[in-house]
Amino acid sequence: MKRREFVGAGLALASAWPFRGWSAVLKNVGDVAAKSLEGADITLRGSSIEALSAGLSGDLLMPGQQRYEQARLIWNGMFDKRPALIARCTGAADVMQAVNFAREHQLLTAVRAGGHSFSGKSTCDGGLMIDLEPMTGVRVDPKARRAYLETGSRLQLLDHETQAFGLATTAGTVSDTGAAGLTLGGGLGRLGRRFGLSCDNVVGADVVTAAGSLVHASESENADLLWGLRGGGGNFGVVTSLEYRLHPVDPIVLAGEVAWPFDQARDVLRYVLEFGERMPDELSLEPTLVWTPDGKPLISVEACWSADHASGEKLLAPLRRIGKPINDSIAPMTYVTLQSSADAGLPAGNNYYAKSGFMPKLDEADIDLILATFLEAPTKFIMFMESYGGAYGRVPVEATAFPNRKEKFFLLIVSQWKGNEDDARHLSDLRGSWKRIDHLARGFYTNLADPDTTAAVIHDNYGPNFPRLSALKAKYDPMNLFRLNANVPPKV
Ligand SMILES: Cc1cc2nc3c(=O)[nH]c(=O)nc-3n(C[C@H](O)[C@H](O)[C@H](O)COP(=O)(O)OP(=O)(O)OC[C@H]3O[C@@H](n4cnc5c(N)ncnc54)[C@H](O)[C@@H]3O)c2cc1C
């Protein structure tokens, strides 16, 4: 294929063929300062960068190119990083080239799918970003109830394609989140109590390992790797495609939100706590504490009932009768609409910091503490308490890499602000609030690792699965090339 050429260190466009799908080949590139895996200063030869560029079907972007500035951005504006190179991969062949380049140069390497890493792990300063964004596509086999996803795809595409056939699998609650990152670290969502984590529904995957080879993982081939991919995050290589098990789900669910003034929060949480113990798997509830734009605290509960509507109406009636709600939007709606209903609240580009954990119980005293912590926080945050249990908890801890199975609620607090001047205050305030309640939670969610998540915390969280994960890491990534994640070091 004839391709456009970018020339010189300033990367001037030599040939203006703006055809879609044609990528830019870099020429006359000077040497580039970069960072090694260990953070040391290294130099990448211009000639080797040109060779990488020529070998890719997608673009190789460098600082100075206009599209670089857009491509380097991720969802969390707090991480304003500048990779030395961004490989915009169009398929497994590009990923293999990028991985080989990174390994040969011992180059710091980040893997980006949907770019929704809370902790900014999908980008880096001075390293290589392996960017899967161009790899989008979901093919559904309705008869076999399978979806085949290219790993640059967002959740909205997965839901859109599967729901066209009255099928679905567990996906997260914000539709522009990347399916790959979410799935590899677990995957909680509105259907999770019915069908388990997103990763529980993965039955096959293609992975480019640190050696640069493409391997397939399934129950019958490299089953150890499939086990690790179900919750072990991005530790074992770059996953280029995922095969999901699908389930029949009516495209119209009974769902929406009921909201109350904060003075009724105690009654609402008490009800959810009691009801959560016995509610059917087809129901998910997510109590949320928020501040309104005019500075008033309130509690809302989002409900999603994915079975027959008459039973759902009956089941949800007591919740809707608590106290005096100020809003009640529960009604039949498409599952796809519901899946994007929370998008606007967490827009890309703002700065975010989060803390999370899984709660084994929630008693009256815990409720009081949670409410007080929310109200008294020096900096306002949102608190989500997602109902857990059901199918999440029916998978034995050691059956997959994902360790947090037996708890009752998932707890998440998120602080959101604009601009980097106030980062330190926001981080310290949220840490302070979390300190008051972290004894209520056990472990943390792999997908929400943050700068406080030390190696010891990751080790403890994986519990009995850690030695097996560490041995798997030694097999597939002995040099720890893929370390920008909730990292499991290779067993020595
Ligand atoms: C707005 C928002 C809403 C969220 N809602 C939910 C939710 O409802 N449920 C839930 O479970 N989680 C949720 N999360 C957390 C989410 O699961 C993680 O942030 C996840 O890592 C995002 O995946 P991504 O592909 O978009 O991110 P990226 O930033 O692209 O990737 C994150 C990390 O995943 C790894 N990775 C990604 N793709 C690959 C790949 N193909 N091969 C190897 N490693 C890879 C890399 O280590 C990378 O650093 C949410 C996050 C955000 C920001």
Side-chain angles (χ1 to χ4, degrees), residues 74 94 109 136 184 221 251 340:
I74 61 167
D94 278 3
T109 301
T136 53
L184 295 172
E221 202 180 341
S340 61

Side-chain angles (χ1 to χ4, degrees), residues 75 111-118 121-122 132 151 171-174 176-182 184 186-189 233-234 237-240 346 386 445 447-448 484-485:
W75 170 83
V111 180
R112 173 210 157 107
H116 275 52
S117 166
F118 260 97
K121 291 280 166 48
S122 44
L132 309 176
T151 47
T173 54
V174 172
D176 62 351
T177 310
L182 177 130
L184 295 172
L188 316 173
V238 184
V239 179
T240 56
L346 298 165
E386 214 167 304
Y445 182 22
N447 273 340
L448 297 175
L484 293 181
N485 44 41

Side-chain angles (χ1 to χ4, degrees), residues 247-289:
H247 313 268
V249 172
D250 192 311
I252 309 291
V253 292
L254 183 65
E257 205 171 74
V258 190
W260 297 262
F262 198 79
D263 60 8
Q264 293 167 56
R266 200 164 195 282
D267 292 341
V268 173
L269 284 183
R270 199 186 279 150
Y271 175 80
V272 173
L273 164 69
E274 187 275 321
F275 187 49
E277 295 281 345
R278 57 188 166 84
M279 68 190 200
D281 292 355
E282 290 86 351
L283 184 63
S284 78
L285 292 178
E286 187 175 45
T288 303
L289 302 175

